[in-house]
Amino acid sequence: MNRTFALIDANSFYCSCERLFDPRLKNRPVIVLSNNDGNAVSRTKEAKPFVAMGQPYFQVKDVCRRENIAVFSSNYAFYGDVSARLNMVYRQFSPEIEIYSIDESFLDYSGFDGRDLESYARELHQTVLRWIGIPTCIGIAPTKTLAKLANRLAKTTPEMGGVCDLRDQGKREEALKRMPVEDIWGIGRASAAKLQRLGVITAAELAALPSPLVRKLLSVVGERIVHELQGHACLPLEQMAPQRKGCAVTRSFSTRVTNLDQMLEAVSAYAVRLGEKLRRHGMATEALTVFYHTSPFDAGPSRLVQKCVTLPEASADTLTLLRAARDGAKAIWKDGYRYSKAGIVTMDLVRLEDAPHALFDGYDREVSAKLMAALDAVNGKFGRGTLYPAAAGIKRPWSTQFAMRSQRYTTRIEELPTIG
């Protein structure tokens, strides 16, 4: 059976979400900023002439004011909920999908015999716009890499109407000639520079290289990309997310942290979040690493430190993780520095049911499971942060800044839009 994939991508996703409940933003330029309102991470087409992707907000604040650009802090809970709604619609059009990122999903169109897939994709495009209100672009091709390429063409070629079908070999060959090698999915900056030094400028030129040379230049990963560009599917649809190998919670502070009490509050809050993540994925950790550092842009002494803390046995218990994180943070603290960021990182995660019990200093897993289930149930029903250990702080002056965040229209009942 010939494989056919479709990649559907929400256009300027964060910005499109902000427009959903505010019709005044329809034709107005919009940007969304990263944590602590630092950099532009999403831009509408109207904003792109004035703001570059990743550009610090302080550099363009006057431009935004002059050009009437609407500026928003990131609203991750809202965006995540809209993403889930999008994928519910996608499942109406294909039983097999891979959620690749918050704004992109692959759909398997293999076996749709006798159906006009381009018209089918246009129906999906219009249905998403009508039901959810988010504009999308769709690329159709015999491989995932080519579907990515087709999606890019759909997004940058307005006359295509949001859908690009590259199943035809002639169309693929023309598209590959137009696509710069650095824009191919999976070709990083270093690989692109290496290819360009050899005179390989376009995707067509890369696809024409012999496999042994590609493997020597770009390893087996690059060889797989070339096969995909030639129309041979090498990458399957991943309907099940791969098991997590690690987990991290890191944040930049809104103000510099200069005393131990605030640092302990911060790492305690991150430990709480880490426990939530681990339990959601059914995983546990046997060790965690606490780190914090100063900013390279600040005047004064700099410092970057970390401490690995080993647990008696694998755990996803919030209280166990919190104690370990605080112990690690205390062990490496030193006064006289202005810390800008901290975090907790874990590696080599295990499934809790597969982890051995400690001979000494273990904990009661049954009691822990009941307590954590109750904690998660309360926060699931009334919102994250409803119930948490006091060690994680209440006022949190160090917490990440979202000064221009819109309402969480679909995830907080008290923030529902009102009329009149």
Side-chain angles (χ1 to χ4, degrees):
M1 179 180 67
N2 292 328
R3 302 304 305 272
T4 303
F5 298 95
L7 175 66
I8 182 165
D9 179 18
N11 300 343
S12 304
F13 179 59
Y14 290 178
C15 295
S16 295
C17 289
E18 296 296 347
R19 282 175 163 173
L20 279 179
F21 291 92
D22 192 346
R24 295 170 299 180
L25 300 175
K26 182 176 181 180
N27 296 310
R28 185 179 172 188
V30 179
I31 65 171
V32 173
L33 304 176
S34 61
N35 286 345
N36 286 319
D37 300 335
N39 305 75
V41 294
S42 182
R43 307 162 297 156
T44 60
K45 62 180 181 181
E46 298 87 355
K48 289 179 180 179
F50 308 104
V51 181
M53 179 62 79
Q55 190 168 10
Y57 177 54
F58 75 87
Q59 291 182 357
V60 295
K61 187 178 292 187
D62 292 339
V63 173
C64 291
R65 190 178 299 113
R66 184 179 69 244
E67 301 297 335
N68 193 32
I69 298 174
V71 183
F72 293 93
S73 304
S74 294
N75 194 343
Y76 298 120
F78 177 41
Y79 305 152
D81 185 67
V82 175
S83 176
R85 292 165 190 250
L86 288 173
N87 282 285
M88 289 175 64
V89 178
Y90 302 162
R91 286 189 170 89
Q92 302 291 317
F93 286 79
S94 175
E96 299 180 4
I97 76 168
E98 173 190 336
I99 301 174
Y100 180 66
S101 67
I102 192 171
D103 61 344
E104 292 179 279
S105 291
F106 285 101
L107 282 65
D108 193 343
Y109 276 176
S110 306
F112 282 46
D113 298 331
R115 185 182 288 274
D116 182 344
L117 289 185
E118 184 173 339
S119 297
Y120 191 56
R122 293 190 186 280
E123 182 184 348
L124 170 59
H125 172 80
Q126 290 299 321
T127 301
V128 170
L129 189 61
R130 186 168 61 253
W131 289 6
I132 308 296
I134 297 291
T136 59
C137 285
I138 304 173
I140 308 171
T143 72
K144 291 170 74 174
T145 301
L146 286 169
K148 266 277 195 178
L149 189 152
N151 181 276
R152 188 179 186 91
L153 289 174
K155 187 172 291 187
T156 57
T157 314
E159 54 266 29
M160 288 185 173
V163 176
C164 177
D165 184 355
L166 290 185
R167 286 175 297 156
D168 178 77
Q169 185 172 348
K171 289 183 178 180
R172 285 204 303 274
E173 290 174 354
E174 286 301 314
L176 292 175
K177 291 176 184 177
R178 294 163 49 193
M179 184 64 62
V181 71
E182 64 267 22
D183 290 342
I184 300 171
W185 184 41
I187 298 295
R189 186 177 302 174
S191 295
K194 189 183 299 183
L195 291 166
Q196 289 162 356
R197 284 195 295 269
L198 293 175
V200 178
I201 307 301
T202 67
E205 292 168 338
L206 175 59
L209 291 179
S211 287
L213 176 59
V214 175
R215 181 182 284 235
K216 182 178 179 180
L217 288 171
L218 305 177
S219 78
V220 69
V221 175
E223 186 180 24
R224 190 179 298 127
I225 291 171
V226 169
H227 286 311
E228 289 253 323
L229 291 175
Q230 293 169 346
H232 308 299
C234 300
L235 302 174
L237 200 74
E238 296 183 0
Q239 298 182 67
M240 295 294 292
Q243 180 174 304
R244 278 176 170 253
K245 296 181 179 179
C247 191
V249 180
T250 68
R251 301 283 188 274
S252 295
F253 300 131
S254 57
T255 58
R256 299 296 185 252
V257 168
T258 57
N259 67 75
L260 178 58
D261 288 341
Q262 286 191 350
M263 183 62 76
L264 293 177
E265 273 193 4
V267 298
S268 297
Y270 301 163
V272 171
R273 182 71 183 114
L274 176 66
E276 292 173 353
K277 285 187 172 185
L278 292 177
R279 292 192 296 275
R280 187 170 71 244
H281 293 281
M283 306 302 290
T285 184
E286 296 175 318
L288 57 83
T289 298
V290 181
F291 76 88
Y292 43 83
H293 61 74
T294 56
S295 171
F297 304 105
D298 284 355
S302 60
R303 188 168 187 251
L304 189 161
V305 288
Q306 64 182 37
K307 175 69 174 179
C308 180
V309 181
T310 301
L311 307 180
E313 64 180 86
S315 177
D317 182 282
T318 289
L319 301 180
T320 299
L321 299 174
L322 187 149
R323 284 192 293 269
R326 290 173 67 90
D327 288 345
K330 290 177 185 176
I332 54 177
W333 177 261
K334 185 178 287 187
D335 289 326
Y337 295 89
R338 303 176 70 247
Y339 297 102
S340 63
K341 186 175 183 177
I344 303 175
V345 180
T346 65
M347 298 298 293
D348 300 323
L349 299 181
V350 297
R351 299 201 67 81
L352 186 58
E353 60 266 26
D354 299 333
H357 288 266
L359 185 60
F360 304 106
D361 298 324
Y363 66 102
D364 190 324
R365 290 189 184 181
E366 186 176 346
V367 171
S368 170
K370 290 179 180 179
L371 179 59
M372 293 301 105
L375 177 67
D376 293 338
V378 170
N379 289 327
K381 183 174 182 178
F382 298 103
R384 182 187 298 160
T386 300
L387 187 63
Y388 61 90
I394 298 174
K395 294 184 177 180
R396 301 185 182 182
W398 43 266
S399 63
T400 305
Q401 177 179 323
F402 298 98
M404 296 170 282
R405 185 173 61 191
S406 58
Q407 292 173 244
R408 289 160 286 189
Y409 300 101
T410 62
T411 60
R412 291 292 183 100
I413 193 167
E414 67 272 18
E415 296 183 22
L416 283 172
T418 57
I419 300 174

